[in-house]
Amino acid sequence: ALCCVSPSTSGAPLCALAWVQCMERVLLEVAAEAQQELGWERYPQHRPDEVSGSCMQKGSSWFFRVQGPINTAIQANDLWPLPEAIAKAVKLEQRRQSRVVASFQVIEVHAPGDATVQLAFQETSPWYRVSIVGPHNVRVLVRKNFPAESQSTILFVPVSSTLRSLATAMTAALHPHLPNALTITQVYALPRGADPLSSTSVWSGFPALQSMAQWTQCGLLTYARTLSQNHYIVLTLKKCASGSPLLPQSIDAVARNSKDWTRLSYEEFELTSYLRSFLLIIGARV
């Protein structure tokens, strides 16, 4: 269901958390589909630097896709630092000015690589379809090896109801022809009633794609990438009176669906196999 893309018209709007979770799922789905040509209507005009645009309709909503190359030696899986790492880099390197973010502070970590943050982009870094000045709360999600091996995707989903229509996802993949280059694919939902054929809709995501050079050259984000590569999680297990351990049934269960879990019997539980099964389900390398 794509009802979360546009504001509810039923008189009972979705709560902010439910909307953000729904939009995350939709954007991840569209980001995966954006790596294929099926269903996308490509526009004949292209930018001089080979940036192309195309659109696709899902349900009653239109999504737009902007694709283009960037020259960088950074691997696609390393391009997007974890939000926790960006916040740590900003805190540790306060004297180093970022070319991309003016401020970045974690409000809540929902899962590794998934956090609600308060951030402000530099005015020269238009990451949305329109420029946003000042700090705002955003759900930032980074997925390594998504939607395929050696690819990665980052989502920016503003929490505020006035900024919801600016939610976007950007995927980095190895360029099929150019050495030391990546293909960046940005997808976003067009506002309800927007004409997908208008020039405003077609190229409104182009400035963000242009800003990718700043992302790759920013010293603070380079430091954040190093922190991401060294990122680790401390796991603590304790006896629980509520029963045996729970195992997620899908990757979305960990942070977004509290009902999609099953309880193992004590006879089935063995720590090594449990951890291996858990990590495989959430898409981690084992």
Side-chain angles (χ1 to χ4, degrees):
L2 299 178
C3 60
C4 58
V5 171
S6 300
S8 172
T9 57
S10 62
L14 296 173
C15 69
L17 177 60
W19 185 90
V20 169
Q21 293 173 341
C22 177
M23 193 61 186
E24 279 188 323
R25 290 194 294 270
V26 171
L27 278 177
L28 286 173
E29 178 183 333
V30 176
E33 294 179 0
Q35 298 302 306
Q36 311 295 328
E37 290 301 320
L38 182 64
W40 292 93
E41 180 182 347
R42 184 176 290 272
Y43 288 92
Q45 64 268 37
H46 296 279
R47 291 286 181 172
D49 47 3
E50 300 181 1
V51 174
S52 63
S54 53
C55 66
M56 177 177 66
Q57 186 174 18
K58 291 178 68 66
S60 59
S61 302
W62 282 94
F63 287 84
F64 198 77
R65 176 184 70 174
V66 182
Q67 287 182 308
I70 61 169
N71 294 318
T72 179
I74 302 173
Q75 298 297 310
N77 242 343
D78 298 328
L79 187 61
W80 319 117
L82 301 177
E84 309 96 296
I86 298 177
K88 186 175 181 179
V90 170
K91 183 177 181 179
L92 295 177
E93 297 288 327
Q94 295 182 1
R95 296 181 180 180
R96 182 185 299 183
Q97 185 177 13
S98 171
R99 302 175 65 177
V100 178
V101 295
S103 63
F104 197 102
Q105 181 178 1
V106 170
I107 298 174
E108 181 180 359
V109 176
H110 309 286
D114 185 0
T116 297
V117 306
Q118 184 184 76
L119 71 84
F121 287 112
Q122 297 287 5
E123 294 184 13
T124 55
S125 297
W127 291 97
Y128 302 117
R129 293 183 293 102
V130 297
S131 297
I132 299 297
V133 178
H136 53 290
N137 292 350
V138 187
R139 187 77 168 257
V140 179
L141 172 64
V142 173
R143 282 276 183 88
K144 307 288 186 179
N145 295 300
F146 180 88
E149 188 75 14
S150 300
Q151 298 179 357
S152 62
T153 298
I154 187 169
L155 271 63
F156 293 97
V157 183
V159 176
S160 170
S161 60
T162 59
L163 302 177
R164 287 178 178 177
S165 63
L166 302 180
T168 186
M170 301 183 80
T171 298
L174 181 67
H175 196 282
H177 308 299
L178 301 177
N180 293 325
L182 298 176
T183 296
I184 303 298
T185 303
Q186 182 188 17
V187 295
Y188 53 89
L190 296 179
R192 181 181 293 275
D195 181 4
L197 299 178
S198 70
S199 59
T200 301
S201 297
V202 171
W203 298 115
S204 56
F206 181 66
L209 206 57
Q210 282 185 310
S211 298
M212 286 309 305
Q214 298 175 356
W215 186 280
T216 59
Q217 298 167 9
C218 174
L220 190 140
L221 292 180
T222 298
Y223 179 47
R225 276 189 282 273
T226 301
L227 295 177
S228 290
Q229 294 169 355
N230 299 327
H231 184 75
Y232 61 89
I233 301 171
V234 177
L235 179 65
T236 302
L237 297 179
K238 65 179 181 178
K239 183 177 180 180
C240 183
S242 300
S244 56
L246 298 172
L247 192 66
Q249 296 301 292
S250 70
I251 192 171
D252 291 324
V254 178
R256 301 169 191 53
N257 190 348
S258 59
K259 297 181 180 179
D260 196 12
W261 294 74
T262 58
R263 187 178 299 280
L264 299 176
S265 66
Y266 283 111
E267 292 75 17
E268 293 178 283
F269 178 73
E270 192 273 325
L271 180 59
T272 303
S273 60
Y274 169 76
L275 291 177
R276 183 178 292 109
S277 298
F278 192 105
L279 293 173
L280 285 173
I281 290 171
I282 65 174
R285 293 183 177 180
V286 180

